[in-house]
Amino acid sequence: MSNYHIGEIFGYISSGINTILFMPQVYHSFYATNLDSINYLYLGLEITGSLVSISYGYLINEIPIIISNSSILMCILIILFLKIKKRNNVKGYIEIIP
């Protein structure tokens, strides 16, 4: 097995771990009544970093990088949506029907 294939295996393992990494925070964000402790600067930097990494992965044609950062981007966008939604919702839960 070549070093390239070993690197690919580690890349896919890393992608799986990065996908799982943000799931507890997304889960917590759904049920938390207050998300003020999550900073908008952090979310913005995380989104920017993920977009740059996805672009980099596309340019060098590395699927594990694209998968990993796409999953991180989706989780961060969900958290951002929940933070904005709960900021405007005094009751602390998400209203499905306006």
Side-chain angles (χ1 to χ4, degrees), residues 60-80:
I60 65 170
N61 199 26
E62 285 295 330
I63 302 300
I65 293 174
I66 297 170
I67 292 171
S68 175
N69 286 285
S70 295
S71 66
I72 291 171
L73 180 62
M74 291 304 300
C75 289
I76 293 298
L77 289 174
I78 290 169
I79 293 169
L80 177 63

Side-chain angles (χ1 to χ4, degrees), residues 15-72:
S15 295
I17 291 170
N18 282 334
T19 300
I20 295 168
L21 178 72
F22 280 91
M23 292 301 171
Q25 186 62 46
V26 172
Y27 179 81
H28 173 74
S29 297
F30 269 110
Y31 295 104
T33 57
N34 186 349
L35 296 177
D36 289 341
S37 61
I38 300 175
N39 192 323
Y40 282 111
L41 179 61
Y42 162 75
L43 294 172
L45 289 172
E46 193 70 51
I47 289 169
T48 303
S50 292
L51 289 173
V52 170
S53 295
I54 290 168
S55 301
Y56 172 68
Y58 177 76
L59 290 173
I60 65 170
N61 199 26
E62 285 295 330
I63 302 300
I65 293 174
I66 297 170
I67 292 171
S68 175
N69 286 285
S70 295
S71 66
I72 291 171

